[in-house]
Amino acid sequence: MNRFSYTRANDITSALQAHDAPAAAFLAGGTNLVDLIKEGVARPERLVDIRRLPMKAIDDNANGGLRIGALATNSAVAYDQRIQSRYPLLSKAILAGASAQIRNVATVGGNMLQRTRCHYFYDTATPCNKRDPGTGCGALNGVNRIHAILGASEHCIAVHPSDMCVALAALDADVRVSSDQGDRVIPFDDFHRLPGDTPEKDTNLRDDEIIVAVDLPAEGFAEHHAYVKVRDRASFAFALVSVALALKIDGDRIDDVRCALGGVAHKPWRNRQAEAALRGKPLEAATVRDFAASIVRDAQGRPGNAFKIELAARAIVRAFEQASGQELAASEDDPT
Ligand code: SF4
């Protein structure tokens, strides 16, 4: 572990000023950053403790939705009565992740900025373009069971590990960020990046910016939603595949649909073209299965993770079943 200085900020301005230094990092819940420091993956020279900043509240916003402070803990959000009644998809996704102990200290902003759980990223004896750009990717021809099937590049096939972010992507949340240049809003879909040839960059947050809050729109899809998470054990495991589905149903027709996938790409994965094509269609097995097939049509499997392609398609169908309360599997011999 490298030596680093520690400073505590009391407001956003002083936090940004303290962070304006080489190799500085914000410290909030620390549930990922401290691990990364201990493993030698992150080597900050200055830690700026932001836990005293006034960014923990959950309030109404001007759009008729809710504004969640970036320092609200995952538990505070998941168990907030307004979140549970108006945005149960978000509450369920958060509670599907990590453990109660971690959720009690992990923050919304930290959850969004957590790094991949790729084994090679954490093993500093192996090549990793995300950890050390230009060194190669150990996962490409290595153990890649947990890796991406959509949107990957020859430089990195890592996935984003969050559950919360998959729900926020499906809900079309906005991210409010601040810097000494002013404030700006980043649509959630644009916050995380695909790896391309710069896998070291997980997000479009600039180095001089801090996440202040997440805005939820008024529509929370409380009536018809589902969060399906498929993982190797029942708790405290990252998703092999997850699906956050938000539906509006008009009679037997799909009025609106948002479908975000986790565990399959470098960011929560949405296919807005496929969603648009589904609107107005009947809610029936063939339609939903065609939609699921279209989501994974361009997926690329590797020896360790090709199973995720069919798994993702089946998880999408399962999510539609849970959200609509209808049986949509095609036949009795189909275990979907
Ligand atoms: Fe590193 Fe990405 Fe390759 Fe994993 S998949 S070893 S994070 S470059």
Side-chain angles (χ1 to χ4, degrees), residues 116 118-121 126-131 136-140 147 155-159 195 199 266:
T116 182
C118 171
H119 320 297
Y120 301 92
F121 178 68
T126 62
C128 172
N129 286 324
K130 183 181 283 296
R131 173 176 22 84
C137 171
L140 274 175
H147 290 77
H155 302 287
C156 180
I157 57 171
V159 300
H266 202 254

Side-chain angles (χ1 to χ4, degrees), residues 12 16 177-184 206 208-210 212:
I12 292 175
L16 287 168
V177 306
S178 189
S179 75
D180 61 8
Q181 310 289 314
D183 301 336
R184 70 177 176 126
R206 299 196 314 256
D208 66 339
E209 290 179 319
I210 187 171
V212 174

Side-chain angles (χ1 to χ4, degrees), residues 259-315:
C259 180
L261 268 61
V264 299
H266 202 254
K267 58 183 285 186
W269 186 264
R270 277 188 68 179
N271 184 329
R272 291 176 186 268
Q273 202 176 354
E275 291 172 12
L278 190 59
R279 291 190 188 107
K281 294 235 175 99
L283 178 61
E284 58 188 22
T287 310
V288 170
R289 294 170 73 84
D290 284 350
F291 172 75
S294 72
I295 299 291
V296 297
R297 185 161 296 135
D298 296 328
Q300 184 185 7
R302 297 177 187 279
N305 70 357
F307 72 95
K308 281 191 178 185
I309 299 174
E310 180 65 16
L311 185 64
R314 292 180 183 221

Side-chain angles (χ1 to χ4, degrees), residues 89-109:
L89 173 59
L90 177 58
S91 178
K92 289 173 183 172
I94 291 173
L95 293 176
S99 65
Q101 292 87 347
I102 289 174
R103 293 192 297 264
N104 284 343
V105 289
T107 63
V108 166

